[in-house]
Amino acid sequence: VQLQASGGGLVQPGGSLRLSCAASGFTLEYYTIGWFRQAPGKEREGVSCMRRSDGSTYYADSVKGRFTISRDDAKNMAYLQMSSLKPDDTAVYYCAAGLSSGSYCSPSGTYSYGFDYWGKGTQVTVSS
């Protein structure tokens, strides 16, 4: 069972990146997907999630309107499209998958406690 995030890199402010999350050893379609980030010296932050039950998506206020979470079940992949990037978006980004239902992916936020599998992160640096 493995998750692997990729697609990070160096981008200028205002630019875009698409992060990918590849799942192996399990079917991502049956899982709630989450994206988290952790900047140096800061706690890990839930960025976005997509519920397995109904496909509802939720975003942190800091990224709402700029980031879009999606999935491609045929490819067993999830994505995080990031636009209008800001220096404050600089962080290591992680994808995660959770099997259970619950409030860990809800309008109140994306919380790490409900996620079972975690991928290694990918670095996103927003700088001119």
Side-chain angles (χ1 to χ4, degrees):
V1 173
Q2 189 174 8
L3 282 173
Q4 180 63 57
S6 62
L10 174 63
V11 63
Q12 292 187 341
S16 298
L17 279 176
R18 188 178 80 157
L19 304 184
S20 299
C21 178
S24 59
F26 68 104
T27 303
L28 194 58
E29 176 182 3
Y30 303 124
Y31 287 74
T32 289
I33 298 165
W35 284 95
F36 294 80
R37 68 185 181 186
Q38 188 165 20
K42 295 186 177 180
E43 293 187 355
R44 184 169 54 191
E45 172 189 18
V47 174
S48 179
C49 63
M50 175 182 285
R51 288 203 303 213
R52 67 176 181 90
S53 58
D54 59 6
S56 294
T57 58
Y58 304 104
Y59 299 91
D61 288 343
S62 57
V63 306
K64 202 171 293 183
R66 301 187 298 120
F67 290 12
T68 303
I69 190 172
S70 63
R71 66 196 305 162
D72 185 334
D73 293 334
K75 296 182 178 180
N76 217 29
M77 300 277 293
Y79 304 96
L80 185 69
Q81 178 67 48
M82 307 186 296
S83 303
S84 301
L85 284 162
K86 306 174 182 179
D88 284 349
D89 296 318
T90 296
V92 177
Y93 284 72
Y94 302 87
C95 60
L99 184 60
S100 63
S101 59
S103 59
Y104 64 96
C105 176
S106 70
S108 66
T110 302
Y111 302 100
S112 59
Y113 69 84
F115 291 93
D116 305 298
Y117 304 128
W118 291 80
K120 293 182 180 180
T122 184
Q123 175 72 47
V124 172
T125 302
V126 184
S127 175
S128 54

